[in-house]
Amino acid sequence: MSWMLEAPAASLALACCAALAFATWVASVIKRDASIVDSVWSVMIFGAALAYALMASSSDTAPRREWLIALVAAWALRLCAHITWRNHGRPEDRRYQAIRARNEPGYAWKSLYLVFGLQAALAWVVALPAMAAASADAPHTMLDVLGAGIAITGLAIEALADFQLARFLSRREARGAVLDTGLWRYSRHPNYFGECVFWWGIWLVALSAGAGWTVIGPLLMTVLLLKVSGVTLLEADIAGRRPAYVDYVRRTNAFIPGPRKAPVEDGAGRINGGHA
């Protein structure tokens, strides 16, 4: 039998996301920086999963609750700490500056639903597999082992990619250059790929618990990372700021890691990106 949401616990999980979003919105108005929501995004997801797991009627007999919540907590706290450290002392992210410019006057109030309310709703949907798996009383299967292993692998990829990028950007010569070593040699966004892998692993655990319908969570995360706030938006103007990025795009997969493409000469003897 498929596992379904319990309305009171699901409502509490959504309220948890909304409360975190509202508190962050207040801080953003004071700081005039809506991009601080990025630091809290992962905490909203963890908060929803934790609130639901604690309130669901099957919580006392849920065999996955402790280890799954611990796994999601590790993902959420690492990502929150990394983004907070990365953005410390910086102005509002360009993506949010563009949203602000499009919605003035009155953006301070509009951002409550355009940015923070939307983020809360999306976080609740992404958290669905964790909510379901952590509170279900179905026994463990091999899918739990597989899913946990995939999630841990995704977390490791994401953490290593962020570390490599942070180390690269700390170097003086990184200005205008492109990171194309380590994990970034095989994918232009290995950190996003790792995050996607993590949530598909969590979904496999939910599938083991009888909640395969929560696939909407990792599907949404994948769409967000590829088409909305991730790859597409980040690369919209990066070539103008880092000219070497054009060649990097030709030679490197956007998302899923794969072999590098070697440059080849065209008929006029110029070098273009091509398959090895």
Side-chain angles (χ1 to χ4, degrees), residues 18 47 64-65 70 96 98 104 127 136 138 154 157 170 173 193 195 209 228 262 274:
R64 301 168 182 80
R65 185 176 66 171
Y96 292 94
E104 291 288 11
I157 291 172
S170 68
E173 61 271 21
F193 173 74
E195 185 162 338
V228 183

Side-chain angles (χ1 to χ4, degrees), residues 1-274:
M1 181 179 296
S2 63
W3 184 93
M4 299 301 293
L5 290 178
E6 297 178 16
S11 298
L12 179 64
L14 183 58
C16 180
C17 291
L20 287 168
F22 182 80
T24 310
W25 170 73
V26 172
S28 78
V29 173
I30 296 172
K31 292 173 60 67
R32 285 190 56 82
D33 182 1
S35 60
I36 63 175
V37 72
D38 288 346
S39 294
V40 187
W41 156 255
S42 62
V43 180
M44 291 183 199
I45 296 172
F46 168 68
L50 179 62
Y52 191 95
L54 293 176
M55 288 299 296
S57 60
S58 59
S59 292
D60 292 339
T61 58
R64 301 168 182 80
R65 185 176 66 171
E66 285 76 14
W67 66 263
L68 186 59
I69 289 298
L71 186 56
V72 176
W75 167 81
L77 296 178
R78 188 214 69 85
L79 187 57
C80 174
H82 171 72
I83 294 177
T84 302
W85 170 81
R86 183 192 68 188
N87 293 345
H88 178 68
R90 295 184 179 182
E92 185 177 53
D93 186 278
R94 290 185 304 276
R95 295 169 296 172
Y96 292 94
Q97 289 180 11
I99 297 173
R100 182 184 296 274
R102 290 196 301 267
N103 291 280
E104 291 288 11
Y107 174 73
W109 293 105
K110 293 176 183 176
S111 66
L112 178 57
Y113 60 88
L114 287 176
V115 176
F116 296 88
L118 177 61
Q119 292 272 26
L122 294 176
W124 184 84
V125 175
V126 170
L128 286 175
M131 291 161 58
S135 56
D137 56 8
H140 285 112
T141 72
M142 285 303 299
L143 274 179
D144 289 289
V145 178
L146 178 62
I150 290 175
I152 292 170
T153 300
L155 178 57
I157 291 172
E158 183 180 4
L160 179 58
D162 282 339
F163 170 76
Q164 291 174 342
L165 181 60
R167 183 177 59 180
F168 171 77
L169 293 176
S170 68
R171 300 170 182 167
R172 184 174 301 177
E173 61 271 21
R175 186 175 181 84
V178 174
L179 173 60
D180 61 356
T181 59
L183 295 177
W184 299 82
R185 178 178 177 82
Y186 307 102
S187 168
R188 302 201 301 271
H189 302 278
N191 49 348
Y192 291 161
F193 173 74
E195 185 162 338
C196 186
V197 168
F198 177 87
W199 282 102
W200 280 104
I202 297 299
W203 175 74
L204 284 177
V205 179
L207 180 62
S208 176
W213 64 270
T214 61
V215 69
I216 186 177
L219 282 175
L220 175 60
M221 178 64 86
T222 303
V223 171
L224 291 174
L225 291 174
L226 284 174
K227 300 297 184 181
V228 183
S229 61
V231 174
T232 300
L233 189 58
L234 189 63
E235 293 193 342
D237 64 349
I238 195 170
R241 293 180 286 111
R242 296 177 183 267
Y245 202 82
V246 175
D247 182 64
Y248 181 59
V249 168
R250 293 194 189 105
R251 302 184 61 190
T252 313
N253 287 356
F255 193 66
I256 300 175
R260 291 276 297 215
K261 302 166 188 175
V264 296
E265 291 189 2
D266 62 15
R270 295 172 299 209
I271 300 297
N272 289 308

